Amino acid sequence: MTTTIPASTAAPTAAAPAEPAHDRRSERLLVWLFLVPTVGGLALFTLLPIAASFVLAFFRWDIITSPEWAGLHNFGDIASDVTVRRAFLNTIGFVIVAVALQLGIALWLAILVQSRLPSWLQSVFRSAFFFPLVLSAASVSLVMAYLFNADFGLVNSILNAVGIPDVQWLSTGSGAVAVVIFVYVWQSFGFSLLLFLGGLASIPTEVYEAAELDGAKGWSRFTKITLPLISPTLLVATVMAVIAALQIFDQPWVLTRGGPGDSTRTAVMMIYQSGFQELQFGRASAIGLVLTALILAATAAQFRLSRRYVFYQ
Amino acid sequence: MADMSRRGFLLAVGAGVAGTVAAWPRLTAADVPGRGEDALRVAIMGTAQDAEGRKTIVAEFERRFPGIKVRVQPIQAADWSQFFAKILTMVAAGTPPDVCYVATEGVQLFADRLGEPLDRFVTRDKAVMQEYFSDVHPSLVEAAMYEGSLFQTPIDFNAANVYYNAAAYRRAGLERPADDWSTDDFLAAARKVQQADRSIRPFFWTNRLWGGIVPWLYINDTSFLTESKAPGGRWMWDTFYADDPSSAQRGGGYRWLHSNAQDPRVLESFELLRQMVADGLASSPAQGGGNELVGLFSGGRIAMTPAGGFWAQGLHDGGMKPTDFDVAYFPRWRSQRHQYGAAGNMILKTSKRKDEAWEWVKFNLSQEAMQLALPKPTTTPARRSMVNAAFYAETGPQHWQVFYDTLDRFPTSGPIPAPPQQAAVETALIKNVTAAVTGDPKKALASLDRDLTTALKT
C-alpha cells in the first residue's frame, strides 16, 4: 500500500526570488549556532566515549596505572569466558521473550483502550499504563524483590491463600528469569502502548467502515487492516524495544545480581562487573563493543525485514 | 525558518555568553567539593547525613589542630567495590581524598593499589599508639594488615553472632542458648520454634560475604578460599602485643590465594544450609544488605539471624525493648570460629598531606574521638573499654558482652575473606551460593571453584 508523490507536485510552482548571499550565510550561521549545544553535547558525551571505548578495548587499564597495549587479548579473553558467553545468550533470550511480551501486551491493550473506552477514560488508562515508565527501575525492582520474596512476599502469601505452596521466585533459575521478565515488561510496555495508540489513531475510520461493508471483522480486520496500517509504528516500537532490552541492567542487578548462578546475568552487567568491580576497563570496553555490534546487527536486520513487512500509506 | 533580527541574534549570543560565564565553575569542575580547597579530604561511604554526623569530631579536631582544615566527603555506594571505583574516579579526576574510611571488605583492595603503609607513623608515635593497641584486640589489627604492613586502624567491628527473638524462644519453651551450643542444639531449637509457630521463619540469613555462608564454613573449620598468613608483622606484635599469648601465631595479615570450594567440608556446610532451607528452618538465600531484616525481626517473623553489635540500636529504633531480644555465640561444629569485619581509616598513597592525614587518623583512635563518633551502639567499638553496660543500657541486649568476648573466647576467629580481588570473589560466591542451596550443591561448588580460580588470577 505504497503511495508515491509525483515529482511534478513536489516541485515549486513558481521560481522563488534568489536570496542575497549574506542572508544565506547568516542563516547558515544561525543554524550552526542552534546546533552547537546539541552537537557539542553529543560529541562530548556520546561520540567521544564511544571512540575512547573502542580504543580502550585494545588496552589493559585499571585507572590507577597507565594503560598497557593488549592487542586482541581482551576479545580473546571474553570469547573464552563461559560467564560472558552465558550473559550474551541470556540477553538474547531475554530480548526475544521480553520484547515479544512487551509489544504483544502493548498492542492488545492499545486496541482495547482505543476501541472500547470513551476518550476521557482513554487518557486515564494511557497515563496509568505509562506511569511505571517514569519510576526508577531500581526502586521498582526493590519493591518487586519484596513482593516476590519467597518467605515473606505478598505474592506467595496470595498463592498460599488459594492453596498453592511457596514458589522460590528469586532463588531458582526459572523463577528468577520469570520475575526479571515480568518486572521489565510491566515497566516498559507503557511506552510501546503510547506509540501504538498514536499509530492506531492515524488509521482513517473510512478504511474500517469500508472493511466492515466488505464483511471484515475481528481477527481478519486486525490482520488485514490494523496490522498493515500500523506496521511503520510497529517497526519503530520494535527497534526501540530491542535496543532497550539488549541493554537491560537495573532489574536483574537489583533483583538477583545475575543469579542464581548466571541465570539472569546480562551483557551490560558484565560490562559493569568487569569495569567498575574488577577494574578491567579494557575488558569492559571489549564487551561493550561486542554489545554495540549486536545492537547494530539487530537493528539492521529489523530494517532489512521491514522492507518486506512494513507498509507506508 | 523564521527570520531573526540582528538585535535578536545579538541578544541570543549575549545570553549564551553570559550563561557560559555563569556556568564556568561547573563546566570546568572548579566547584567540585574539595577541589582547590586547602583542606584534608576524608572520604566515607555514606550520605551527606553521615558526613554531618562527623561534624563534632571535625570541629574538635580543628580546634586541636588549628592549622588543619578537614572536609568529610560522603561517597554513596552500594558496596565497597563501588566505593573503591568512585575513589579511583576521584583519583583519575585529580581530586583524590587523603583519607578513606574502609571496611575489611576493602582493606586489601585499597592496600594493594592505593593504600599508604602506616608502619612508620605507628612506630613514630609509639606511646600514643600503645594506649590504643592495648585497648584493641589483636585479631582486628591483624585483619588490617597486608603483606606485613598496617594499612588501617580499626575503629569499629562486628562479629557474626546469633540474635534471637525472646518471645519466639519463650513460645517454643527455649532457654537462652549455652555459650558452647552445637549445630545440633541449633537445629533442635529451630525445629521447636517452627513447631510452636508455623508463621515464623526460625533462621533468616542474607547471601553476602559477611554473615551468609561464611560463618557456617568457619564453624566447620574451613572456608571457600585457602587461608594463610603473610610473613612479617613481627614489628607490630613484638612492639604492641608482646604480652598477648596469641601474638606468636600472628603474621603480616591474611592471604587468600586459592579457591578451596572443592573441600569436602565446604560441601558439608552447604549441605547443612541446603537442608535447613529445604526443611523450612532457614529462609531462602536473600540478596542484599538485609535492610528488611530489622522489620521482620522486630515484627516477630524471624526467630534467629546472624548479626553483630551494629544491630542493637537498629532493633531499639525498630521498637524492641532490651528484653525483647538477646544475642548468643554462633553454634559450635568442628570449631566455634567466628567471622568478623572491621572498619577504620586508611591513608591514600596519592595524598600530599600524609602527616596531616596521620594526625586525623590518630585523633580518631583516641577514646574521646571514638566516643564522639559512636555515641550509640550502631556498631561495636574496636576499643574494648567502650563496650560496656552503659553503652547498651538503653538498647540491650542483655548479653552485650558477647560482642567483644567473641574475639577473646575464640582468638582464631577470622575476618571476612576479602583478597584484593574482593569484588570478583564476592560475585562468584553470591551467585553460586544461591545455586548450591536451592539446587545441586556439587555442581554449584564446581562452578564456584572455577569462578574463584578465574577471579584470583586477575
Side-chain angles (χ1 to χ4, degrees):
Chain A
M1 205 183 279
T2 311
T3 314
T4 50
I5 302 167
S8 58
T9 60
T13 48
E19 274 184 87
H22 73 275
D23 276 5
R24 279 203 305 275
R25 265 202 309 276
S26 58
E27 191 172 309
R28 217 174 293 145
L29 184 72
L30 200 61
V31 167
W32 277 110
L33 205 67
F34 281 111
L35 279 176
V36 159
T38 308
V39 173
L42 192 74
L44 201 62
F45 298 111
T46 307
L47 299 177
L48 192 67
I50 289 175
S53 177
F54 184 82
V55 174
L56 209 53
F58 299 92
F59 284 84
R60 262 191 213 96
W61 192 45
D62 64 356
I63 287 191
I64 308 167
T65 50
S66 303
E68 272 175 46
W69 174 253
L72 292 172
H73 174 269
N74 289 326
F75 293 95
D77 184 38
I78 61 171
S80 61
D81 188 330
V82 286
T83 310
V84 175
R85 273 209 303 274
R86 176 82 196 268
F88 270 96
L89 287 174
N90 285 348
T91 308
I92 292 166
F94 169 81
V95 169
I96 292 168
V97 178
V99 170
L101 285 172
Q102 178 185 339
L103 297 180
I105 292 169
L107 184 56
W108 176 60
L109 286 174
I111 291 169
L112 276 185
V113 167
Q114 209 227 13
S115 60
R116 300 282 163 91
L117 299 177
S119 58
W120 67 271
L121 210 52
Q122 280 183 25
S123 55
V124 171
F125 273 87
R126 224 172 17 225
S127 309
F129 290 137
F130 190 75
F131 183 66
L133 198 70
V134 300
L135 300 173
S136 134
S139 313
V140 166
S141 306
L142 213 56
V143 173
M144 291 291 183
Y146 285 114
L147 294 180
F148 284 98
N149 183 298
D151 299 291
F152 308 103
L154 182 68
V155 176
N156 272 357
S157 298
I158 293 169
L159 292 178
N160 291 165
V162 294
I164 301 170
D166 282 348
V167 178
Q168 300 295 322
W169 291 109
L170 296 172
S171 42
T172 57
S174 51
V177 169
V179 173
V180 168
I181 290 174
F182 168 78
V183 175
Y184 181 85
V185 171
W186 178 78
Q187 210 182 358
S188 314
F189 82 88
F191 182 70
S192 309
L193 181 130
L194 276 195
L195 291 179
F196 289 141
L197 281 173
L200 290 170
S202 69
I203 301 175
T205 47
E206 300 82 36
V207 181
Y208 284 120
E209 285 164 5
E212 207 163 311
L213 287 175
D214 290 341
K217 277 184 184 167
W219 182 249
S220 65
R221 195 172 103 138
F222 172 71
T223 52
K224 299 278 174 19
I225 296 170
T226 309
L227 213 50
L229 288 181
I230 63 154
S231 57
T233 312
L234 195 58
L235 173 69
V236 172
T238 310
V239 168
M240 292 176 85
V242 168
I243 291 174
L246 278 166
Q247 297 174 71
I248 183 170
F249 173 77
D250 314 48
Q251 291 87 352
W253 183 255
V254 175
L255 285 163
T256 63
R257 291 274 163 126
D262 290 316
S263 53
T264 54
R265 204 162 302 279
T266 65
V268 177
M269 219 182 261
M270 289 308 301
I271 296 175
Y272 177 78
Q273 274 175 235
S274 298
F276 294 98
Q277 290 196 314
E278 295 162 15
L279 305 175
Q280 299 183 63
F281 286 90
R283 188 174 191 267
S285 297
I287 301 172
L289 282 188
V290 175
L291 181 63
T292 307
L294 187 65
I295 291 173
L296 289 176
T299 309
Q302 288 169 81
F303 276 107
R304 197 164 176 81
L305 278 174
S306 74
R307 287 183 200 163
R308 200 179 297 171
Y309 298 109
V310 175
F311 302 92
Y312 293 97
Q313 291 178 64
Chain B
M1 175 182 284
D3 286 339
M4 191 182 218
S5 67
R6 177 179 290 267
R7 179 175 293 178
F9 177 74
L10 288 174
L11 269 174
V13 171
V17 171
T20 309
V21 169
W24 192 250
R26 174 49 52 96
L27 289 170
T28 55
D31 63 345
V32 170
R35 174 167 277 192
E37 190 184 6
D38 186 25
L40 185 75
R41 290 186 294 270
V42 177
I44 59 164
M45 187 163 95
T47 60
Q49 262 183 326
D50 296 313
E52 196 67 14
R54 303 196 182 215
K55 233 169 131 179
T56 47
I57 310 171
V58 171
E60 184 55 29
F61 177 79
E62 287 180 346
R63 195 184 64 76
R64 298 253 186 108
F65 300 89
I68 310 174
K69 194 171 161 22
V70 175
R71 170 182 274 279
V72 178
Q73 292 177 297
I75 312 282
Q76 289 200 49
D79 50 40
W80 287 102
S81 59
Q82 207 178 79
F83 176 71
F84 184 70
K86 290 189 176 181
I87 296 293
L88 282 182
T89 315
M90 292 167 79
V91 173
T95 56
D98 300 288
V99 177
C100 280
Y101 195 78
V102 180
T104 298
E105 288 95 324
V107 167
Q108 296 203 358
L109 183 74
F110 269 76
D112 194 52
R113 298 169 193 234
L114 275 181
E116 173 75 12
L118 303 177
D119 309 3
R120 66 187 166 101
F121 298 111
V122 169
T123 44
R124 191 183 71 191
D125 291 332
K126 192 178 159 192
V128 180
M129 293 309 292
Q130 183 68 68
E131 188 278 326
Y132 163 74
F133 286 123
S134 66
D135 205 14
V136 173
H137 198 278
S139 291
L140 303 179
V141 178
E142 195 173 25
M145 295 178 84
Y146 180 61
E147 296 301 322
S149 288
L150 183 74
F151 279 89
Q152 182 209 47
T153 46
I155 287 178
D156 66 292
F157 80 101
N158 285 288
N161 300 123
V162 175
Y163 272 67
Y164 63 91
N165 185 305
Y169 255 51
R170 267 196 306 275
R171 270 198 302 277
L174 292 164
E175 297 286 320
R176 181 176 185 276
D179 286 349
D180 62 343
W181 65 327
S182 65
T183 45
D184 287 340
D185 298 332
F186 174 88
L187 291 172
R191 282 195 195 97
K192 278 190 178 170
V193 167
Q194 190 184 44
Q195 281 156 13
D197 186 348
R198 305 294 297 187
S199 71
I200 286 188
R201 191 64 68 191
F203 181 70
F204 184 95
W205 62 293
T206 306
N207 186 11
R208 56 182 173 184
L209 262 183
W210 187 94
I213 184 73
V214 179
W216 297 99
L217 296 171
Y218 278 12
I219 59 168
N220 201 17
D221 229 1
T222 188
S223 181
F224 65 98
L225 295 176
T226 59
E227 184 184 295
S228 57
K229 301 275 178 79
R234 289 316 321 161
W235 65 272
M236 166 63 72
W237 312 120
D238 294 344
T239 312
F240 298 105
Y241 289 95
D243 298 334
D244 190 286
S246 70
S247 72
Q249 279 84 50
R250 303 205 181 268
Y254 286 83
R255 275 177 174 172
W256 297 282
L257 302 176
H258 306 288
S259 165
N260 192 42
Q262 301 280 36
D263 179 17
R265 286 187 187 177
V266 172
L267 177 63
E268 209 175 16
S269 295
F270 273 88
E271 284 284 7
L272 175 73
L273 211 49
R274 196 187 66 76
Q275 197 55 51
M276 280 164 57
V277 172
D279 293 347
L281 298 176
S283 60
S284 293
Q287 211 82 58
N291 294 333
E292 73 278 26
L293 248 178
V294 170
L296 292 169
F297 188 87
S298 57
R301 302 197 63 190
I302 294 169
M304 292 180 280
T305 192
F310 65 88
W311 231 33
Q313 186 65 39
L315 294 182
H316 175 73
D317 294 342
M320 293 193 97
K321 293 191 211 79
T323 49
D324 288 346
F325 68 97
D326 208 345
V327 65
Y329 296 110
F330 217 82
R332 171 177 52 78
W333 195 350
R334 283 193 169 86
S335 82
Q336 207 168 353
R337 185 184 197 221
H338 278 59
Q339 182 196 23
Y340 63 84
N345 285 308
M346 292 181 86
I347 298 176
L348 265 61
K349 67 180 173 197
T350 48
S351 172
K352 292 184 174 69
R353 299 164 167 263
K354 292 194 180 76
D355 284 318
E356 292 175 10
W358 172 245
E359 290 304 335
W360 168 259
V361 171
K362 198 171 61 175
F363 174 72
N364 274 268
L365 302 176
S366 66
Q367 185 106 24
E368 182 193 1
M370 275 206 200
Q371 272 163 351
L372 286 173
L374 309 170
K376 291 176 176 179
T378 49
T379 182
T380 315
R383 278 181 174 271
R384 183 192 305 270
S385 60
M386 284 176 64
V387 184
N388 52 42
F391 194 57
Y392 296 100
E394 197 185 349
T395 61
Q398 280 178 288
H399 293 85
W400 51 267
Q401 298 90 337
V402 162
F403 299 134
Y404 217 102
D405 286 355
T406 298
L407 300 175
D408 290 328
R409 285 179 70 108
F410 313 108
T412 59
S413 288
I416 297 163
Q421 306 87 345
Q422 178 265 342
V425 164
E426 186 174 16
T427 302
L429 181 75
I430 286 173
K431 80 176 197 186
N432 289 300
V433 162
T434 315
V437 171
T438 56
D440 180 352
K442 276 189 187 160
K443 205 172 143 193
L445 288 177
S447 163
L448 174 63
D449 188 56
R450 192 187 60 233
D451 290 340
L452 289 173
T453 305
T454 308
L456 292 166
K457 263 190 219 158
T458 54

